[in-house]
Amino acid sequence: MTRTARSFWLEAPGRGAVREVALPVPGPDDVLVRTLFSGVSRGTETLVFGGRVPENQYAAMRAPFQEGDFPGPVKYGYLNVGVVEEGPERLAGRTVFCLHPHQTRYVVPAAAVTPVPPSVPAGRAVLAGTVETAVNALWDAAPLVGDRITVVGGGMVGCSVAALLARFPGVRVELVDADPGRAEVAAALGVGFASPADALGDRDLVVHASATEAGLARSLELLRTEGTVVELSWYGDRRVALPLGEAFHSRRLTLRGSQVGTVSPARAATRTYADRLALALDLLADPALDTLVTGESAFAELPELMPRLASGEISALCHRIRYDGEDTGAETRGGA
């Protein structure tokens, strides 16, 4: 008896398809998960879709349950929420989050899934991977009570960072983006908003997440003397030029990279990857984060949807994929 499921594959840069895949038989320490929702990360995932992962980053950019290799064919993705249909008693029937690609059903080790708290709706839980990135960034940035902080780039990651910063006591947060439509998102998150030209200066900390050269240069301009920019953008294969010959040295500015692939050194001795993800899911109890889900489509629409997300035709933060009504799996008998 062979179980099958359907998964989304990048066949070649710019072209995707849904494939039928065989599922392994779950072992005693595995779970079989039926997907409820997955999320498209418009930053990293659309760069992957466009074939823009540099060859020297192929290993670093592998997703936990990726199949195939860059630039394709490859099954890629890492925002998945589903229900455990088979597995250890402590997980059976639970809604869980997993760093798994877009697939109707899948089998993974039980240790690879994290239960979603009852206070977090399954549809919101697809944001867990991005909120986890924001948690790690703030461990790196170490903001202080009363800091003046700007987040440049109102995409999925930048808005997640702004949402968490809004909870810090006394911190004055401004979200900066070239799209005036992001003002509504900022208001829903409880932070200020400005265009790049009108952004407040003399900032203690700037978190940059616009993935643009202009955004990073503007981030440096907004700092006070001895301020810090934490860089969250991933540029793929693009080169970035910066004005480091101007006031960068005289003002003793700091530019620091942050990446979710490792637990921040500030917490690595006391927190695991599992701890960090569980914290992100707890933080998703805040309904204000629903504003980061800006669109929804059926799983079967992914091959047509991804080119539109990658080109910017659809301007999304997190685009959610729903699996209700999908043929989530089948059993077929093999013959001799």
Side-chain angles (χ1 to χ4, degrees), residues 35-40 79-81 102 126 319-321 323:
T35 302
L36 298 173
F37 299 98
S38 61
V40 178
L79 302 173
N80 190 297
V81 177
H102 310 281
V126 296
H319 197 94
R320 186 166 59 202
I321 307 303
Y323 291 73

Side-chain angles (χ1 to χ4, degrees), residues 198-211:
D198 296 329
L200 297 171
D202 200 31
R203 311 304 273 177
D204 300 295
L205 171 69
V206 176
V207 179
H208 179 242
S210 80

Side-chain angles (χ1 to χ4, degrees), residues 47 52 208 211-213 216 231 233-238 240:
L47 285 173
R52 294 170 56 191
H208 179 242
T212 66
E213 183 176 295
L216 182 52
E231 173 61 283
S233 301
W234 188 62
Y235 298 89
D237 55 4
R238 286 179 292 153
V240 176

Side-chain angles (χ1 to χ4, degrees), residues 43-190:
T44 301
E45 205 167 337
T46 55
L47 285 173
V48 170
F49 186 78
R52 294 170 56 191
V53 180
E55 189 171 349
N56 63 7
Q57 293 297 301
Y58 281 1
M61 287 303 301
R62 286 194 70 86
F65 295 101
Q66 174 180 324
E67 293 182 34
D69 298 296
F70 302 121
V74 63
K75 182 174 74 175
Y76 192 85
Y78 46 83
L79 302 173
N80 190 297
V81 177
V83 173
V84 175
E85 293 191 322
E86 296 179 21
E89 185 176 352
R90 63 184 175 83
L91 291 172
R94 297 285 303 273
T95 300
V96 296
F97 177 86
C98 185
L99 296 167
H100 197 280
H102 310 281
Q103 186 164 310
T104 56
R105 273 182 174 172
Y106 53 91
V107 175
V108 295
V113 302
T114 303
V116 175
S119 58
V120 179
R124 191 187 304 154
V126 296
L127 297 168
T130 306
V131 173
E132 183 185 14
T133 300
V135 167
N136 206 61
L138 295 182
W139 283 349
D140 281 334
L144 300 176
V145 172
D147 272 358
R148 295 161 297 184
I149 303 176
T150 293
V151 179
V152 175
M156 194 173 168
V157 171
C159 286
S160 296
V161 171
L164 298 191
L165 284 170
R167 307 176 182 198
F168 278 65
V171 166
R172 287 162 285 179
V173 185
E174 185 171 75
L175 179 67
V176 172
D177 198 276
D179 179 1
R182 291 290 188 258
E184 293 183 16
V185 177
L189 297 177

Side-chain angles (χ1 to χ4, degrees), residues 258-277:
S258 178
Q259 210 275 336
V260 73
T262 58
V263 175
S264 168
R267 293 292 180 271
T270 58
R271 303 291 192 280
T272 65
Y273 289 98
D275 293 333
R276 189 177 66 184
L277 182 54

Side-chain angles (χ1 to χ4, degrees), residues 91 146 221 225 245 292 301 327:
L91 291 172
E221 293 173 350
T225 299
L292 303 188
E301 299 171 7
D327 179 13

